[in-house]
């Protein structure tokens, strides 16, 4: 069975081929007569440098098994990849007298890996260009917008008395729209900078982050009569400034989307599951229908009109982007009128993967 599925060759201690199976001949396109007595250099593709083979020979000449992936060239000039295990056979003096090489072709796997690598590189470049475009476009839009707001404010202050009711209404609408546009631009810049302006990961106590967030939201908490209960939270390796932004957005939403006549109640709880940290922000607000789960994390998407609740529809998109930059996930659960729960799952150590 091994002889049928594997590519097998045996060489003497100098590397001269003394046996090959049919599979070896088939993939290399060489006849058995051409291979016997020759060296494996006959298959050298030029892909690996001299140090690669020196390291391999040092390993097997020392009596140790070597494993690795090698790109070979067949007689017809085509290339193929093999996963190779070379086992030295030792004499009574513990010196190798021959080597058995067992190989399995992995050409298709390597081609798929290369295609994935190229696709990922193109995607990264595309994302970088999109971030740069968003940042530049938003920055360039700010200057003319400042002038609209500046001259609009001057006109409102200096000539308001000379305007009739309809003209004052037009001016108010213009300034209101310009201010809303400014918020959109600022949020777009925030979204585009999640990766571009990112800092390195460091040990970040999330209780300390939440303490700062509650301090920043103190006035809103007082005005809404909210109660915020934060439990014991874990420490994670993260960008502390982005953790602040993440939880300020989540808590800010809990304060914003509260039911009329009902004071907001927000609970923040954390737990550790192996290498993962799980933090849930739960509230008693208006909630939402879970059929809109994908929509709430899409930039500029809103479930409510701007006259009902302020905002631009960027906050949760920023949250998801921050969490994904940290190798984590952000999920939500809710029912209309029964509040919402947003759960952040993060690796406790930078570079770890979710399982």
């Amino acid at each position: 069975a091994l002889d049928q599925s594997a590519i097998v060759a045996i060489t003497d201690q100098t590397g001269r081929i003394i046996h090959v199976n049919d599979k070896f001949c088939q993939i290399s396109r060489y006849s058995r007569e051409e291979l016997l007595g020759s060296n494996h250099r006959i298959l050298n593709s030029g892909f690996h440098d001299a140090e690669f083979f020196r390291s391999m020979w040092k390993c097997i000449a020392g009596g140790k098994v070597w494993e690795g992936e090698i790109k070979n060239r067949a007689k017809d000039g085509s290339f193929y990849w093999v996963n190779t295990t070379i086992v030295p056979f030792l004499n009574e003096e513990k010196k190798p007298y021959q080597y058995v090489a067992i190989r399995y072709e992995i050409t298709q796997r390597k081609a798929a890996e290369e295609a994935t690598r190229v696709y990922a590189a193109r995607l990264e470049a595309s994302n970088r260009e999109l971030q740069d475009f968003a940042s530049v476009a938003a920055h360039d839009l700010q200057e003319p917008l400042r002038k609209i707001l500046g001259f609009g404010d001057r006109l409102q202050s200096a000539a308001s008395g000379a305007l009739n009711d309809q003209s004052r209404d037009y001016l108010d609408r213009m300034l209101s729209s310009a201010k809303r546009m400014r918020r959109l631009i600022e949020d777009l810049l925030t979204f585009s900078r999640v990766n571009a302006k990112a800092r390195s990961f460091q040990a970040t106590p999330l209780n300390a982050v939440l303490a700062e967030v509650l301090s920043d939201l103190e006035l809103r908490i007082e005005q809404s009569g909210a109660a915020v209960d934060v439990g014991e939270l874990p420490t994670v390796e993260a960008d502390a400034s982005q953790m602040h932004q993440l939880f300020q957005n989540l808590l800010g939403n809990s304060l914003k989307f509260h039911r009329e006549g009902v004071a907001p109640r927000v609970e923040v709880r954390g737990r550790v599951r192996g290498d993962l940290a799980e933090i849930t922000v739960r509230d008693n607000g208006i909630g939402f229908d879970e059929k809109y789960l994908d929509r709430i994390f899409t930039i500029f998407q809103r479930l409510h009109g701007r006259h009902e609740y302020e905002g631009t529809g960027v906050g949760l998109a920023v949250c998801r982007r921050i969490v994904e930059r940290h190798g984590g996930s952000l999920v939500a659960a809710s029912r209309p009128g029964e509040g919402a729960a947003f759960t952040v799952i993060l690796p406790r150590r930078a570079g770890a993967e979710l399982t």
Side-chain angles (χ1 to χ4, degrees), residues 24 28 30 39-45 71-73 80:
F24 195 111
S28 71
Y30 286 100
N39 190 285
H40 273 91
R41 281 192 290 269
I42 195 174
L43 304 175
N44 193 337
S45 66
K71 184 177 184 180
N72 288 332
R73 184 175 64 180
Y80 62 96

Side-chain angles (χ1 to χ4, degrees), residues 235-279:
T235 294
V236 297
E237 291 183 6
D239 180 334
S241 66
Q242 289 191 345
M243 289 297 101
H244 186 283
Q245 187 176 23
L246 167 66
F247 287 105
Q248 181 158 311
N249 284 357
L250 292 178
L251 266 68
N253 277 355
S254 291
L255 298 176
K256 181 199 304 183
F257 296 107
H258 64 85
R259 287 177 285 163
E260 187 175 355
V262 179
R265 296 290 180 266
V266 186
E267 180 182 273
V268 184
R269 293 290 182 267
R271 65 171 180 156
V272 171
R273 292 193 292 112
D275 292 332
L276 303 179
E278 189 175 288
I279 306 94

Side-chain angles (χ1 to χ4, degrees), residues 318-339:
V318 170
C319 288
R320 171 166 280 186
R321 195 160 193 171
I322 289 173
V323 172
E324 289 178 347
R325 185 211 163 207
H326 286 74
S329 63
L330 175 61
V331 296
S334 181
R335 287 183 180 179
E338 297 183 17

Side-chain angles (χ1 to χ4, degrees), residues 139-154:
H139 183 272
D140 289 348
L141 284 170
Q142 284 181 318
E143 185 55 35
L145 193 59
R146 287 193 193 98
K147 290 186 177 180
I148 293 172
L149 286 167
F151 285 113
D153 286 337
R154 288 186 186 182

Side-chain angles (χ1 to χ4, degrees), residues 149-322:
L149 286 167
F151 285 113
D153 286 337
R154 288 186 186 182
L155 182 62
Q156 193 174 50
S157 300
S160 180
L163 300 176
N164 58 34
D165 291 342
Q166 187 179 49
S167 297
R168 279 195 295 270
D169 179 57
Y170 289 161
L171 180 58
D172 289 341
R173 291 187 187 186
M174 181 191 76
L175 289 173
S176 177
S177 295
K179 289 174 183 177
R180 190 168 67 255
M181 183 65 178
R182 181 174 61 187
R183 288 195 298 272
L184 282 168
I185 291 172
E186 290 170 349
D187 286 345
L188 178 60
L189 281 170
T190 298
F191 182 78
S192 68
R193 288 170 175 168
V194 168
N195 293 324
K197 300 293 184 180
R199 300 178 184 175
S200 60
F201 292 179
Q202 297 179 345
T204 304
L206 294 182
N207 276 107
V209 171
L210 265 292
E212 294 176 356
V213 170
L214 292 178
S215 177
D216 290 347
L217 296 175
E218 183 177 6
L219 183 59
R220 291 177 62 183
I221 292 172
E222 289 180 0
Q223 290 175 339
S224 63
V228 181
D229 180 18
V230 179
E232 189 66 28
L233 305 179
T235 294
V236 297
E237 291 183 6
D239 180 334
S241 66
Q242 289 191 345
M243 289 297 101
H244 186 283
Q245 187 176 23
L246 167 66
F247 287 105
Q248 181 158 311
N249 284 357
L250 292 178
L251 266 68
N253 277 355
S254 291
L255 298 176
K256 181 199 304 183
F257 296 107
H258 64 85
R259 287 177 285 163
E260 187 175 355
V262 179
R265 296 290 180 266
V266 186
E267 180 182 273
V268 184
R269 293 290 182 267
R271 65 171 180 156
V272 171
R273 292 193 292 112
D275 292 332
L276 303 179
E278 189 175 288
I279 306 94
T280 299
V281 178
R282 188 184 308 275
D283 63 52
N284 65 339
I286 61 173
F288 59 88
D289 193 319
E290 289 190 355
K291 69 181 181 181
Y292 298 117
L293 273 175
D294 290 337
R295 182 176 170 185
I296 64 173
F297 292 110
T298 302
I299 189 169
F300 298 138
Q301 290 293 314
R302 299 167 52 92
L303 301 186
H304 308 280
R306 66 174 184 268
H307 298 298
E308 296 178 85
Y309 297 95
E310 63 177 7
T312 58
V314 176
L316 287 177
V318 170
C319 288
R320 171 166 280 186
R321 195 160 193 171
I322 289 173

